[in-house]
């Protein structure tokens, strides 16, 4: 007895035609390439009208079905009246592409190489903090742009255990270790009064003490000469030899 008179399977001699409900009957696909495979597998002419035609689930292999519907690439291959020259549908495998976990980084794998985060909990936590990532991220990957060149491994090796992501993390525009050394003469805005006495170098302190002593000796000598010149003015009749003797003394 036919339960669904209007839901006939278009496959000839299908003994389940009219016995299945609408959820088990499928329209011809809208994609031309897949629709042509259906028609050729069912030996239908290319000019056949397909608007009211249906194919039941009996003619599809189990892997052609998802949880609730037929996959778009599925093609009827079972009980279609022939076994040779059949077209088989196949799902297109999506190419797995991983991206670097740093927000502004555009590195993808493939083609570039990405590194896994360490499994050690303490080291992994440190990496997560440096990269500003949340702890809930299960499988983060990071590219070589964020490590120092001296730490990068060869093609078939891994990063050393002590490696840490330091470069291009979005926190600093430039790596401070790559900046040139600044000339002290170019420094501006230094308070000389506040900077005195802050030098803790022993040799520099010794040089400073010697300089102070020499300045004190020079000041004493100048004061002595001034005293002698004053005495010379007070005693104009003093002989020249005595004056020279006193200077020499």
């Amino acid at each position: 007895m036919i339960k669904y008179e209007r839901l006939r399977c278009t496959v000839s001699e299908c003994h389940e035609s009219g016995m299945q409900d609408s959820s088990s009957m499928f329209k011809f696909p809208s994609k031309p390439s897949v629709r042509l495979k259906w028609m050729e597998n069912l030996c239908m002419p290319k000019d056949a009208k397909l608007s009211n035609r249906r194919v039941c689930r009996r003619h599809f292999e189990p892997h052609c079905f998802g949880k609730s519907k037929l996959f778009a690439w599925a093609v009827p291959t079972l009980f279609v009246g022939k076994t040779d020259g059949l077209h088989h549908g196949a799902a297109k495998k999506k190419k797995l592409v991983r991206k670097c976990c740093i927000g502004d980084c555009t590195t993808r794998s493939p083609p570039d190489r990405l590194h896994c985060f360490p499994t050690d909990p303490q080291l992994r936590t440190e990496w997560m903090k440096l990269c500003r990532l949340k702890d809930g991220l299960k499988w983060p990957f990071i590219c070589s742009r964020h490590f120092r060149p001296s730490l990068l491994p060869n093609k078939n090796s891994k990063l050393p255990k002590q490696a840490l992501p330091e470069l291009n993390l979005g926190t600093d525009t430039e790596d401070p270790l790559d900046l040139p050394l600044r000339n002290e003469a170019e420094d501006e805005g230094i308070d000389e009064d506040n900077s005195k006495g802050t030098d803790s170098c022993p040799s520099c302190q010794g040089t400073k003490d010697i300089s102070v002593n020499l300045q004190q000796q020079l000041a004493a000598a100048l004061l002595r000469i001034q005293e002698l010149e004053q005495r010379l003015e007070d005693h104009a009749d003093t002989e020249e030899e005595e004056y020279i003797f006193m200077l020499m003394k």
Side-chain angles (χ1 to χ4, degrees):
M1 180 178 179
I2 299 176
K3 292 184 179 181
Y4 304 96
E5 182 68 29
R6 295 183 180 181
L7 297 177
R8 293 274 185 168
C9 180
T10 194
V11 180
S12 60
E13 299 181 0
C14 177
H15 62 81
E16 291 190 10
S17 179
M19 302 298 292
Q20 302 188 53
D21 59 10
S22 59
S23 63
S24 299
M25 305 295 291
F26 305 101
K27 297 180 180 181
F28 279 72
S30 57
K31 189 174 182 179
S33 59
V34 182
R35 183 172 63 245
L36 181 61
K37 291 180 181 180
W38 280 43
M39 297 178 69
E40 290 180 353
N41 282 5
L42 301 178
C43 301
M44 297 177 63
K46 293 183 178 180
D47 57 350
K49 295 182 179 181
L50 306 175
S51 58
N52 295 322
R53 292 179 180 265
R54 303 288 187 275
V55 179
C56 71
R57 66 182 301 121
R58 177 173 177 261
H59 305 286
F60 296 92
E61 298 178 44
H63 69 272
C64 294
F65 296 93
K67 292 183 178 180
S68 59
K69 62 181 181 179
L70 186 71
F71 288 123
W73 49 263
V75 175
T77 55
L78 303 178
F79 312 110
V80 293
K82 68 174 184 177
T83 56
D84 297 333
L86 289 175
H87 298 286
H88 292 272
K92 292 183 179 180
K93 294 183 179 180
K94 293 183 179 180
K95 198 172 185 179
L96 181 61
V97 178
R98 295 189 176 98
K99 68 181 291 293
C100 181
C101 64
I102 304 301
D104 298 335
C105 186
T106 58
T107 303
R108 299 290 185 273
S109 176
D112 300 309
R113 182 180 179 183
L114 297 179
H115 306 283
C116 298
F117 273 51
T119 56
D120 179 75
Q122 185 176 359
L123 188 57
R124 182 184 179 88
T125 301
E126 188 174 359
W127 278 41
M128 297 289 281
K129 288 182 179 179
L130 290 172
C131 298
R132 296 184 176 184
L133 299 177
K134 297 181 179 179
D135 295 335
L137 193 60
K138 293 184 178 180
W139 299 105
F141 295 90
I142 187 169
C143 70
S144 301
R145 293 182 60 246
H146 310 290
F147 297 90
R148 298 193 176 278
S150 58
L151 298 176
L152 295 179
N154 296 326
K155 184 177 181 180
N156 297 322
S157 58
K158 298 180 180 179
L159 284 168
K161 292 183 178 180
Q162 71 275 13
L164 291 174
E166 303 173 79
L167 308 179
N168 306 312
L169 299 177
T171 55
D172 295 319
T173 56
E174 293 181 301
D175 183 5
L177 295 182
D178 289 339
L179 296 176
L181 293 177
R182 186 171 55 182
N183 189 353
E184 294 181 358
E186 297 177 356
D187 289 342
E188 296 179 0
I190 297 178
D191 190 351
E192 296 181 356
D193 294 336
N194 294 332
S195 63
K196 290 182 179 180
T198 59
D199 193 355
S200 59
C201 177
S203 60
C204 296
Q205 187 64 35
T207 304
K208 185 181 296 184
D209 293 341
I210 294 174
S211 177
V212 172
N213 291 336
L214 290 176
Q215 291 178 359
Q216 292 176 353
Q217 293 178 10
L218 179 59
L222 292 175
L223 182 60
R224 180 63 175 169
I225 292 175
Q226 291 177 359
E227 292 177 355
L228 292 176
E229 291 178 346
Q230 186 64 34
R231 291 179 59 184
L232 180 59
E233 293 177 358
D234 297 340
H235 302 83
D237 54 347
T238 306
E239 296 182 358
E240 186 178 358
E241 291 181 358
E242 183 180 356
Y243 173 70
I244 295 173
F245 175 77
M246 292 180 68
L247 289 178
M248 294 297 294
K249 185 178 180 180

